[in-house]
Amino acid sequence: MIQHLGLLVAYPVVFAAIFVCGLGGTFHYGYSVSVMTSPSAFIKELVNQTCMHRYRLSLESWQLSLIWSFTVSIFCVGGLLGSLAAGSLASKFGRKRCLLLNTFVAILGGVLMLLSKTAMSFEMIMAGRFFFGINSGASLAVYPMYIMEITPRTLKGMVGVTIGSFMSLGKFSGQLLGISESLGTEKLWPWLLGFIGFTGLFQLLTLFFLPESPGFLLLDRGDQRACEKALKQLWGNKDYSREIEEMLEEKAALQSVRSYSVLELIQNKTVRWQLITVSVTFASVQLCGINAVYFYSFDVFRAAGIPEQKLRYAALGTGLCEFSTVVSCFMIVNRTGKTVLLFRGYAGMSVTLVFLTITLYLQSQVSWMPYCSMVLIFICIVFFAIGPVGVTPTLPGELFAQPFRSAAYTISCTLNWLGLFVVGMVFPILVEKLDYFCFLIFLFSCFICGLYLKFNVPEIKNKTPLEIAAEFDKMHCKPKRKHATEMNANRIISYETKL
């Protein structure tokens, strides 16, 4: 840890870029996931008042629940659109310019949130959530790309963990600002929802002082002088002829290899198991039930028997627990291995959910059982943070070579946002119909993912896509297919071994 922090201090501009882009990137995603819990009662009251004032209509409980669920879940629709558009925009306009344009979307969403109560319009909250989704979707795609391209190799492992760290920080900040002692009041809740607009404005004002990605300047624009200038600004005034030469070798290697579309990636048998792995892990991140806890944390803790006056602080503790665990994750990831961390995370969540279902069943019979349920929820969050959060976001870039990466990120982001939308819409119904047995559905998802990781995925720590492909071949390919697979992999990603 001390060594990593020392390297980070040696590159202050890189550190500034991580902070600025993280605060305006994955922080927005985490904040938007958790922030709707606290002002839910005030927003529902605004919906009722708006319908009564405009249409003289008193909404029934199921109608109000439907509008509320749609308000929460429309964030995912915007996220899906943002992630689908971000790749082409980043390639056309550059990483930095794409991030700058994306800040205006966040600011627009923040303005709509701030004015929603004054205008007596819950539709403005829906529109704001939609724009926040677009902003978060684009940030999730472009922020990792930009940060990894401006970071020295010695820092790439730690930087990968910062993606999940800022996401967890956003969740915790949404819960912290949402308590009644802060912005979670009837008077200030529009400022709580519009807070992302201010972080977007901060990113807009500071991102101008950061350079464009050196890799983009050289490989996409062909501007070697600008690339060298950006490297000196980021890493110090040194000679970077070797780094530039490696980039030029990569560019020469890529000229004979075209990028694959999503359909071509799905049809390509040489990376079939890599695609299945990404699909299973990204789907399981949503279906493990962790985001349901943040979307409806009050309902979860109320079902666990936590007193009403302690609900906000119990939810605040979940965000702090995840953030502190993710921050400590980079200290063990290089020693333990990424596949091992994923397996242990999902295995631990499976066991925890079994005991959680049992304690929820017994809470009416034993007075202290609700507190056991609360402890188990925190344990489940620890297992989630120490494995899936720290490892999953970077999997497409580690498992796939450059020609496949764009399509792989498109598929993974699509699964992420669709899963988040489905959970946001279905979870309230599951709680109403199944009560505490709803966790058995999440248990099944964690158990299946854990089994898949244990028996079908090799260790990927410190390996190139070519080496990982060879490991997959050993586990799954028939002998007759191995030679053809290796030849195709070598043709596609031979340059990776140089980087």
Side-chain angles (χ1 to χ4, degrees), residues 326-490:
V326 172
V327 169
S328 63
C329 181
F330 74 89
M331 294 187 291
I332 63 174
V333 65
N334 287 331
R335 297 198 308 266
T336 307
K338 296 186 175 182
T339 305
V340 174
L341 280 179
L342 277 175
F343 168 72
R344 291 179 180 176
Y346 283 113
M349 291 179 70
S350 300
V351 175
T352 305
L353 289 175
V354 171
F355 286 103
L356 179 60
T357 304
I358 295 174
T359 57
L360 289 175
Y361 177 76
L362 296 175
Q363 69 179 11
S364 60
Q365 305 174 32
V366 183
S367 60
W368 46 265
M369 197 60 70
Y371 295 95
C372 293
S373 301
M374 183 176 67
V375 171
L376 287 171
I377 287 178
F378 280 98
I379 293 175
C380 187
I381 291 173
V382 168
F383 279 118
F384 174 75
I386 207 168
V389 170
V391 177
T392 304
T394 59
L395 277 182
E398 294 179 281
L399 295 180
F400 292 93
Q402 184 71 20
F404 292 113
R405 279 180 190 157
S406 178
Y409 270 110
T410 299
I411 292 175
S412 60
C413 289
T414 300
L415 289 172
N416 178 75
W417 288 107
L418 287 177
L420 195 60
F421 179 81
V422 171
V423 169
M425 292 295 293
V426 174
F427 183 72
I429 301 174
L430 291 178
V431 171
E432 182 180 352
K433 300 296 182 182
L434 300 178
D435 203 13
Y436 44 78
F437 288 109
C438 68
F439 287 102
L440 294 178
I441 298 177
F442 304 134
L443 163 64
F444 177 78
S445 174
C446 293
F447 182 73
I448 294 298
C449 184
L451 284 180
Y452 176 82
L453 291 167
K454 178 66 175 179
F455 297 105
N456 295 282
V457 182
E459 179 53 57
I460 63 175
K461 181 184 67 173
N462 297 329
K463 293 181 180 179
T464 66
L466 177 60
E467 294 169 336
I468 296 173
E471 292 294 330
F472 272 109
D473 290 341
K474 291 178 182 179
M475 297 181 69
H476 303 291
C477 288
K478 297 179 180 179
K480 292 182 179 180
R481 290 178 53 195
K482 283 188 179 181
H483 180 68
T485 304
E486 291 174 2
M487 292 294 291
N488 189 47
N490 274 290

Side-chain angles (χ1 to χ4, degrees), residues 81-95 98 101 138 141-142 145 216 220-221 406-407 409-410:
L81 295 177
S83 61
L84 291 175
S88 59
L89 291 176
S91 298
K92 183 176 181 180
F93 299 107
R95 287 50 162 149
C98 185
L101 293 175
V142 181
M145 193 185 309
F216 171 80
D220 292 83
R221 292 287 175 83
S406 178
Y409 270 110
T410 299

Side-chain angles (χ1 to χ4, degrees), residues 46-59 67 120-123:
L46 177 64
V47 173
N48 268 326
Q49 291 177 352
T50 302
C51 291
M52 180 62 69
H53 181 264
R54 291 184 190 170
Y55 314 112
R56 307 298 181 195
L57 178 64
S58 179
L59 296 176
I67 294 175
M120 284 287 292
S121 173
F122 65 89
E123 295 89 350

